[in-house]
Amino acid sequence: MKIPLETVLPQDIETRSFAIIAAELGDRVLDPLQAPIIQRAIHTSADFDYADNLIFSPHAVEKAWQALRQGAWIVTDTNMAKTGVNKTALRQLGCEVHCFMADEDVAQAAKANGTTRAVACMEKAASLKVPLIFAIGNAPTALIRLYELIREGRLKPELIIGVPVGFVNVVESKELILSLDDVPHIVARGRKGGSNIAAAICNALLYQLVDRAY
C-alpha cells in the first residue's frame, strides 16, 4: 500500500510540528512563560500528558533565566541529557553543561560509600561554587540526594528539573522536590519523563532567553 506523504523541508519540520501541537491543544490556555517548555516536552515525546503533569513552582522560569544570565552550570544525571542540551545557546549565554557520571572520583566515591553514581554526582556538584541548575531525567536517587543536600544546608540550586522516568522511587522522589518551597523546580509529576525530556526543558529555557536577547 502506498501512503501519501507531504513534502516538508527539513527547516520547516519543527515549525510545522509546533503548529500541530498548538492546534491539538485547542483552546487550552497555558501560562505564556511555561507554554514553550510544555510544548517542547510534547514535541520531544509526542505525549500531550505533559500539558498536565509538568508542575512549575512560582516564578521558576524567571528564576532559571536569572541563573542562566549569571553563567549557571547545568548538571545532568546522564550523558544523554548532556548531549541533548544545545551547546550553541549555552555558549551565547556563557553557560556550561556537565555530567559527572563517568568521572573516576565519582565511581570511587560511590563504591566507597555504597551508593549509586548518581548520588555521588550530586555530592560532587554540591561542592561547586557556581550557580547550578540540575536536570535529572533518569535517576530518582539523584533527586532524593538533592533533597537531602538541600535540607542539610549544603546546597541551594537555582533550579531543579525533576523528570526521571520509571517505576521504582520515581514518583516518590519527585514528590520530595515538589515539597520544597524555597527551591525553584519544574517537575513531571508521575512516572513519565526521561533524559530527552530533561534536555528539552533545558533547551526551551535557553531558546527563550537567547531569543529575548535579540
Side-chain angles (χ1 to χ4, degrees):
M1 181 177 64
K2 188 175 181 179
I3 300 174
L5 298 175
E6 182 181 1
T7 300
V8 183
L9 295 174
Q11 61 268 30
D12 295 332
I13 292 174
E14 182 171 295
T15 301
R16 287 289 306 279
S17 296
F18 276 91
I20 292 168
I21 291 168
E24 293 201 19
L25 285 171
D27 295 332
R28 184 178 187 125
V29 178
L30 301 176
D31 180 281
L33 297 186
Q34 297 173 10
I37 298 167
I38 294 168
Q39 290 168 351
R40 191 157 290 276
I42 294 170
H43 177 258
T44 297
S45 62
D47 188 341
F48 280 81
D49 283 354
Y50 287 106
D52 296 306
N53 66 19
L54 273 185
I55 309 300
F56 295 75
S57 64
H59 309 294
V61 175
E62 298 96 321
K63 290 176 181 178
W65 286 347
Q66 182 178 1
L68 291 166
R69 289 191 184 101
Q70 296 171 351
W73 285 16
I74 298 173
V75 176
T76 70
D77 64 329
T78 65
N79 279 302
M80 178 182 174
K82 176 187 172 183
T83 300
V85 177
N86 188 289
K87 307 305 184 295
T88 300
L90 283 171
R91 284 193 297 271
Q92 287 181 266
L93 295 169
C95 299
E96 301 179 22
V97 60
H98 295 272
C99 179
F100 305 127
M101 288 292 284
D103 292 5
E104 183 59 31
D105 59 335
V106 165
Q108 292 175 354
K111 183 176 181 180
N113 296 322
T115 68
T116 66
R117 287 196 184 198
V119 166
C121 284
M122 299 304 104
E123 293 172 348
K124 179 173 181 173
S127 67
L128 299 173
K129 304 303 180 185
V130 294
L132 295 173
I133 291 173
F134 289 89
I136 309 302
N138 183 68
T141 55
L143 283 189
I144 293 167
R145 189 58 184 141
L146 282 178
Y147 175 84
E148 293 170 346
L149 288 166
I150 292 163
R151 285 295 182 226
E152 292 166 11
R154 294 174 54 194
L155 181 66
K156 190 169 178 58
E158 304 299 324
L159 175 72
I160 296 176
I161 299 168
V163 293
V165 61
F167 301 94
V168 179
N169 290 329
V170 167
V171 173
E172 294 83 356
S173 68
K174 292 175 179 178
E175 292 300 319
L176 288 176
I177 301 304
L178 287 169
S179 75
L180 295 171
D181 294 327
D182 54 348
V183 176
H185 52 263
I186 302 172
V187 173
R189 180 169 252 155
R191 295 172 171 177
K192 293 184 178 182
S195 295
N196 58 335
I197 299 298
I201 292 172
C202 291
N203 286 336
L205 291 167
L206 290 166
Y207 296 157
Q208 289 184 81
L209 197 53
V210 169
D211 287 345
R212 283 168 176 260
Y214 295 96

